[in-house]
Amino acid sequence: MKDYAERNRALLHFIVLPTILLTVGLLGGLRIDAQTRHFIFIAPPLVTLVLAILLGSLFVRAGAIDLHRWIAIEQPTLTNFSHLLTLMALFFASAQAFNSVLPESGLLHWMFAFFFLWTLWTNQFSAFDARRLLKSLIILFGTAFVLKHLLVSGLYAPEGGWFRRIASTLLQGIAIDVPAFAPITGYISFFALALYVASLLLMAPVPVQPGASAVNKLAVKEDALADSSDQLSE
């Protein structure tokens, strides 16, 4: 039973988690053109890389990631390399999660970017734990998702109706460039964000150490043998 538990934890940590993070990295930049229905992959803007760095700093400060246990000189080289690849996948997935909820260009792009930058920067000086940080990220990404894929997309859709006409009147003279994407783009973004949150739930602060239980069993046997030899000597 314990062997199966250790094997499943290793499978989850070394296979499932990196796969989910890479999937988020691919889906976060995927868009569907409204006219041709072609796939469009938008590379993460520079600001999303800055946001990913700030978010990674929050992960470390909140205790969601213990860097000293993820990368340590006492661990085998392959283990450190695997952990490094997972952290790089987390960084790329974080950048793409921001990319999926950022408007692609125009004034709204910079408004959303400033909103993210201000929120993450002010949080650098707040007291956080891992659970509180996860709740804050769910609210942050959920708010941005609703604003971009429900409100903004509805305002500037060709069939936006009277709500679109009111917004156009209020924002008359302000250059707001919103590319037209198919509605399925919102579903892709929602799926990417859901996978990203799931990966954060699966990621343990201290990574799984392969063979750790076997080492513990060996240590217990050595202690038992030492105790028995002490009793015989007495």
Side-chain angles (χ1 to χ4, degrees), residues 1 28 50 60 70 91-93 108 112 115 133 144 147 152 168 171 227:
M1 183 71 68
V50 177
V60 175
W70 276 80
F91 172 79
F92 183 62
L108 290 177
F112 275 58
F115 166 72
L133 177 60
L147 290 176
V152 175
S168 300
L171 299 176
D227 294 337

Side-chain angles (χ1 to χ4, degrees), residues 133-190:
L133 177 60
L134 181 60
K135 292 179 180 179
S136 299
L137 289 179
I138 293 175
I139 295 174
L140 183 68
F141 283 113
T143 302
F145 175 84
V146 170
L147 290 176
K148 178 187 177 182
H149 292 288
L150 296 182
L151 183 60
V152 175
S153 297
L155 287 176
Y156 291 92
E159 63 279 3
W162 63 270
F163 200 28
R164 177 179 181 271
R165 292 194 293 270
I166 293 176
S168 300
T169 302
L170 294 176
L171 299 176
Q172 187 175 5
I174 301 178
I176 298 180
D177 183 18
V178 179
F181 295 115
I184 195 175
T185 301
Y187 291 92
I188 295 174
S189 177
F190 179 83

